[in-house]
Each structure stands twice: as C-alpha cells, then as structure tokens.
Amino acid sequence: MQSMVLLSNVILSIILVILILIQRSSTDSGGAFSQDSSTTYKRRGFEMLIYRSTIMVAVLLFVSLIIHSFVVIN
C-alpha cells in the first residue's frame, strides 16, 4: 500500500511539473512593449484545459500526500 501511494505521488508530481512548464506565461515579452497595458488575458480552448488540469492534478497530489502521511504513520 505504501509503495503504491509513493508511486502515485511521484507520478502526480512529474505530471504537475510538466503541466506547469507548458503553460503560457501571462507576462509575455510582446506584452511588455505594448502601448496598451490595460488589456486582460483570457485563457481559451487548450490553454483552459491545461490550466484546469493543472489545478486538478495539484489537488490530487495534495490528497495523495495526505493519504501518504497517514499510511506512513500507521
């Protein structure tokens, strides 16, 4: 049981890192030189899917880490 939870922690953390790295930054270099800095950035399509997936994987990792802490204690 402990090794399964540990393996899921490792897999979820790797997936989380990958999802974070492929997200587009809201401070692009093109936006730094534009005249109108009051425009807002809205995620759409695939970017929204990546954003929501990142949140979901982060929550799953958090839950998995809590479960892991209970398994290690017992």
Side-chain angles (χ1 to χ4, degrees):
M1 175 75 173
Q2 185 177 359
S3 62
M4 284 180 41
V5 175
L6 183 61
L7 180 64
S8 69
N9 287 344
V10 171
I11 291 172
L12 285 172
S13 63
I14 290 171
I15 292 171
L16 184 63
V17 167
I18 291 170
L19 285 172
I20 289 172
L21 288 176
I22 63 173
Q23 284 187 9
R24 178 179 172 205
S25 173
S26 62
T27 57
D28 276 338
S29 60
F33 300 110
S34 69
Q35 295 286 336
D36 187 20
S37 63
S38 65
T39 59
T40 60
Y41 175 73
K42 186 171 183 174
R43 293 177 179 91
R44 294 183 180 171
F46 186 67
E47 289 184 22
M48 181 61 90
L49 177 70
I50 298 269
Y51 177 72
R52 289 182 179 163
S53 299
T54 304
I55 293 171
M56 185 176 60
V57 170
V59 169
L60 286 173
L61 179 62
F62 179 72
V63 170
S64 178
L65 289 170
I66 290 174
I67 291 171
H68 181 91
S69 67
F70 285 124
V71 169
V72 170
I73 290 173
N74 293 330

